[in-house]
Amino acid sequence: MNILAAYEELSAKLLDRNSNLRLAIIQDDTHVATLATARPFDTNNTLYYIPCEPLYLFLEDNSRQPLADLCLSIFTYLFQVVEIPHHRQWASYLNQMYDMIEQWMIEEDQPEEAEYLEAELKELDENAGRGEYILQLISDCSHVNSFERRVADFQASGEVEADFLLTAKKALTLYLDFPNRSVMDAIHPELIPEDDYGNGIVHADKYMSFIWSFNDSVYDTLEDTINCDLQECSVIEEPFAMQFFDHIPDREVHDFDFENRLFSLIDDLVANLRDLQFN
C-alpha cells in the first residue's frame, strides 16, 4: 500500500470514529512531514464584530479620556497582535460590503428618495472618515506598550466601567499569556476539503472584524447584505487545534485555551461598549 492510499484509509477510519477530527500531514518550522489530527473550533455561526463608534465617542469626550485610552489598548491588541481586520482596510470584507452599499445608493434612481439618499451617503462618508481615524490610532503600537500601565491606573466610575475594567484585565492577561498569538495562526485553509470550495466559504475575515456601528442608519442594510452573502456559503473557515504524532502522545490533546478566551473576550467587550456608549 502506498503512502497516499494509507493516508486516505486512515482518514476515512478517523472520520468514522470522530467526525470532528481530520487527519493531516503537516510540515512547518518545527515539524517535517508529521502526521497530525486537527479539530475545528466551533464558532457557533456567530459574527464577532467589534464596533468602533463607542471608542470614537469616548475620544471626543475629554472627561472619558482614561476610558478611551484603555479601550485603545484593547483595540490595538486585537488589531495588531490577534490580527482581527478593520472595516476601513482596503481588502477587508466589511470594507467591500460598505462600498457595495454606497454604490447602490449612488445608482438608485428614485427622485422621491433623493434627499433621503443624499443624507445617507453623507453619513456613510462621515463614518468612513471616522473609521479611518480609528484605524490610524490602533495602528500605533504604543497603545499595546501602555496596556499594563493603563489597566493599573484606570479608576472605574460606577458598575459599567468596573465591568469594562474586568474585560480589559482579561484582554491583558490573554496578551501576556499569548504575546505573539494571532487568531489567524490556527486558520488552515488547506484542511478544508477541495470539494467544499465550490460551495462557498465563510473566511475568517467575514465573521471576525471591527465594524463602525450597530446603530447607524445603514446597519440594517449592511446586516441584510452580509446575511444574504453568507447564506450562500456551506463551510466556515474556523480555527483548528493540531495534535502532532512526531511522538506517541499519552492522550488526545487539542488545545483551544486561546480561542475560548478570545471569543469570550470579544463577546464581553461588545456588551461593555454597548453599555458604556449609552450609559
Side-chain angles (χ1 to χ4, degrees):
M1 181 181 293
N2 62 35
I3 293 176
L4 178 59
Y7 170 77
E8 291 176 345
E9 181 179 339
L10 283 173
S11 295
K13 289 181 178 179
L14 185 63
L15 281 173
D16 286 341
R17 294 189 61 179
N18 189 332
S19 60
N20 287 323
L21 284 180
R22 299 179 188 180
L23 192 66
I25 298 175
I26 301 294
Q27 181 177 358
D28 59 19
D29 293 339
T30 56
H31 302 88
V32 178
T34 301
L35 200 64
T37 52
R39 180 188 292 275
F41 179 82
D42 185 5
T43 56
N44 295 310
N45 296 314
T46 301
L47 298 178
Y48 292 93
Y49 291 168
I50 304 168
C52 291
E53 183 184 38
L55 172 56
Y56 179 82
L57 295 175
F58 304 156
L59 289 164
E60 291 288 288
D61 184 348
N62 290 334
S63 69
R64 306 188 94 175
Q65 191 60 50
L67 175 65
D69 288 341
L70 186 54
C71 190
L72 265 175
S73 288
I74 299 173
F75 274 39
T76 305
Y77 160 61
L78 293 174
F79 176 65
Q80 291 197 20
V81 181
V82 180
E83 294 188 308
I84 293 177
H86 190 276
H87 66 282
R88 290 306 300 167
Q89 288 176 291
W90 179 78
S92 71
Y93 174 70
L94 286 190
N95 186 54
Q96 296 171 27
M97 294 296 103
Y98 277 114
D99 283 349
M100 186 184 302
I101 292 170
E102 181 180 26
Q103 196 60 38
W104 288 343
M105 290 180 179
I106 292 172
E107 294 175 356
E108 188 69 49
D109 185 21
Q110 296 187 31
E112 68 276 10
E113 298 286 333
E115 185 175 343
Y116 166 76
L117 290 170
E118 183 178 352
E120 292 282 283
L121 284 167
K122 180 180 179 182
E123 181 180 356
L124 196 60
D125 183 62
E126 290 174 348
N127 289 342
R130 292 164 182 150
E132 292 279 0
Y133 173 61
I134 297 298
L135 175 59
Q136 181 180 5
L137 290 177
I138 64 176
S139 297
D140 181 353
C141 64
S142 68
H143 297 299
V144 174
N145 298 336
S146 303
F147 202 171
E148 284 190 79
R149 176 180 56 79
R150 287 173 175 174
V151 167
D153 292 347
F154 187 75
Q155 299 294 317
S157 176
E159 183 178 349
V160 175
E161 289 193 3
D163 286 343
F164 178 69
L165 179 58
L166 287 176
T167 298
K169 289 178 178 179
K170 290 178 184 177
L172 176 60
T173 301
L174 186 64
Y175 170 50
L176 295 176
D177 289 347
F178 300 92
N180 301 305
R181 181 71 173 269
S182 162
V183 69
M184 301 303 175
D185 291 343
I187 300 295
H188 294 277
E190 71 276 8
L191 294 177
I192 297 175
E194 290 185 9
D195 291 345
D196 289 334
Y197 273 90
N199 299 322
I201 299 174
V202 180
H203 293 290
D205 69 328
K206 292 187 176 183
Y207 65 85
M208 283 185 292
S209 180
F210 288 93
I211 190 174
W212 172 248
S213 176
F214 299 133
N215 306 297
D216 62 358
S217 61
V218 301
Y219 177 70
D220 287 343
T221 302
L222 178 66
E223 183 180 36
D224 289 343
T225 304
I226 292 169
N227 286 337
C228 288
D229 181 47
L230 300 189
Q231 283 173 4
E232 300 298 318
C233 302
S234 61
V235 180
I236 301 176
E237 190 179 62
E238 295 176 304
F240 279 93
M242 313 295 291
Q243 181 168 13
F244 295 93
F245 289 87
D246 46 355
H247 65 275
I248 304 299
D250 296 328
R251 58 190 174 87
E252 180 189 336
V253 178
H254 292 92
D255 185 6
F256 284 119
D257 182 39
F258 175 78
E259 286 78 13
N260 280 318
R261 291 163 62 182
L262 172 65
F263 288 107
S264 174
L265 168 67
I266 294 173
D267 282 338
D268 291 344
L269 176 61
V270 172
N272 291 154
L273 292 171
R274 180 192 61 237
D275 293 342
L276 286 164
Q277 181 174 353
F278 298 105
N279 181 32

